[in-house]
Amino acid sequence: MNAPDSDDIVIPDAKRGNWVDRLLPAAAKPYAQLARWDRPIGWWLLLLPCWWSLALASGAAGQALPSPWYALLFFIGAVAMRGAGCTYNDIVDRDIDGAVARTRTRPIPSGRVSPTAAAVFLALQALVGLAVLLQFDRYSIIVGLCSLVPVAIYPFMKRITHFPQFVLGLSFSWGALMGWSVVFGRLDPPAFLIYVAAILWTFAYDTIYAHQDREDDALIDLGSTARYFERSTPKLLTVCYGAAVLLLGTAFYLADAKIIAFVGLAGFARHLAWQVEKFDADDGDLCLKLFKSNRDAGLILTAGLLIDGLLKGM
């Protein structure tokens, strides 16, 4: 049986009429979907800890604004490595994805991209990420390469633990170390505090996301924090989000951030509290909306740090 045409495929968590659907030729669409170019939330969530750390480190170094070049490199790297990570995950999880309602239309389980072709596409994206990494100093290159360890093991965690979201946090938050490292050529306590805060943030928002698949995961016996905590998820979100805010505040204090950074942190905290208030474990559409809203929460924090740096430089 022939694989279905890309135009006939509905991707549940992608916005209809996105630029991939509208602009790319049919042959390219499955690869764009494999890299999740039609769902930008992933690279936003990977990018934001990079920008938090870069902005805080730049302010601590006496710079009014972060280097635009570094900010751009982090953007390119986030898009490339998020795409590479998703491609790798889909290769490893192709049989599982075919058994889950939300993921069975992905390019590999639907037959639109072969595992071999996906592996080649993975290599190309990884080369872009490597080219970005090589623009930094030697210390930062080593730090960046270490991120491959949690990335490599993440797809297997759902098979052996209920906490794959923690391993995702280890990899998705790595930019918190990189942003500081590229400014100072070393890692200091604020970088580690932002890293742990970002892990907790990721752990929480990905638990919200996982509630979409809770029933399917139970049927095929895959682990997730959504299954483990179920009705206790609001308490988990409160603890993780609250601890993340406290750790970020401590990092800001140690880096001598000023009042506007803390105003941005307060806005970030209020957004996270709103998520907890609205959360409904049985409403998959709402869970997806709340998950995606973390881009806005992260941008509020980023704006506070940027404005704070500008005011400090005046």
Side-chain angles (χ1 to χ4, degrees):
M1 184 173 65
N2 292 331
D5 188 90
S6 292
D7 291 333
D8 298 328
I9 291 290
V10 175
I11 306 296
D13 49 355
K15 184 178 180 181
R16 298 296 292 169
N18 61 74
W19 74 273
V20 169
D21 289 338
R22 290 184 289 106
L23 301 178
L24 290 188
K29 286 181 183 179
Y31 293 93
Q33 292 168 352
L34 192 60
R36 313 292 197 270
W37 294 344
D38 54 344
R39 284 152 285 174
I41 183 60
W43 60 254
W44 271 115
L45 295 175
L46 186 62
L47 174 63
L48 285 164
C50 304
W51 279 359
W52 298 346
S53 186
L54 177 64
L56 186 64
S58 298
Q63 302 169 17
L65 285 174
S67 162
W69 174 237
Y70 284 163
L72 177 61
L73 286 174
F74 281 132
F75 166 73
I76 297 171
V79 174
M81 294 312 296
R82 187 266 186 140
C86 289
T87 304
Y88 171 63
N89 289 348
D90 283 7
I91 293 171
V92 174
D93 287 347
R94 57 188 182 274
D95 293 331
I96 292 173
D97 286 345
V100 176
R102 188 179 58 82
T103 58
R104 63 171 57 107
T105 58
R106 286 178 176 175
I108 298 177
S110 66
R112 293 176 293 134
V113 175
S114 71
T116 300
V120 173
F121 185 51
L122 164 62
L124 292 173
Q125 293 174 93
L127 286 173
V128 174
L130 178 61
V132 169
L133 186 61
L134 293 177
Q135 305 306 306
F136 300 130
D137 62 279
R138 181 178 298 178
Y139 184 88
S140 299
I141 291 172
I142 294 172
V143 171
L145 290 174
C146 290
S147 69
L148 296 178
V149 175
V151 170
I153 66 174
Y154 167 67
F156 304 98
M157 292 299 101
K158 64 174 73 73
R159 296 164 171 84
I160 61 174
T161 176
H162 277 295
F163 298 92
Q165 283 72 26
F166 175 72
V167 182
L168 181 71
L170 294 178
S171 56
F172 251 61
S173 305
W174 207 268
L177 302 177
M178 293 296 298
W180 191 274
S181 177
V182 299
V183 173
F184 288 109
R186 63 177 190 269
L187 292 174
D188 298 309
F192 292 110
L193 289 168
I194 298 175
Y195 180 56
V196 177
I199 291 172
L200 292 169
W201 180 52
T202 305
F203 188 83
Y205 70 58
D206 201 57
T207 297
I208 295 174
Y209 185 80
H211 272 280
Q212 298 176 94
D213 300 328
R214 192 177 69 246
E215 294 179 1
D216 283 334
D217 287 346
L219 287 173
I220 56 180
D221 197 27
L222 293 180
S224 78
T225 46
R227 283 188 63 199
Y228 188 84
F229 290 99
E230 290 195 18
R231 302 302 165 183
S232 298
T233 295
K235 294 179 181 178
L236 172 73
L237 299 179
T238 300
V239 171
C240 289
Y241 281 159
V245 170
L246 289 175
L247 289 169
L248 286 168
T250 304
F252 290 5
Y253 173 78
L254 292 177
D256 196 31
K258 303 305 180 186
I259 187 65
I260 301 301
F262 288 95
V263 171
L265 180 61
F268 176 73
R270 183 65 191 95
H271 194 291
L272 301 185
W274 169 79
Q275 292 180 39
V276 179
E277 293 165 6
K278 294 293 184 181
F279 175 76
D280 180 350
D282 297 321
D283 189 336
D285 290 339
L286 176 61
C287 287
L288 180 61
K289 177 183 177 181
L290 294 177
F291 163 75
K292 289 183 175 181
S293 75
N294 279 280
R295 181 204 65 173
D296 300 332
L299 286 173
I300 291 169
L301 188 62
T302 304
L305 288 166
L306 292 175
I307 295 169
D308 192 68
L310 277 172
L311 294 177
K312 283 170 66 176
M314 291 177 63

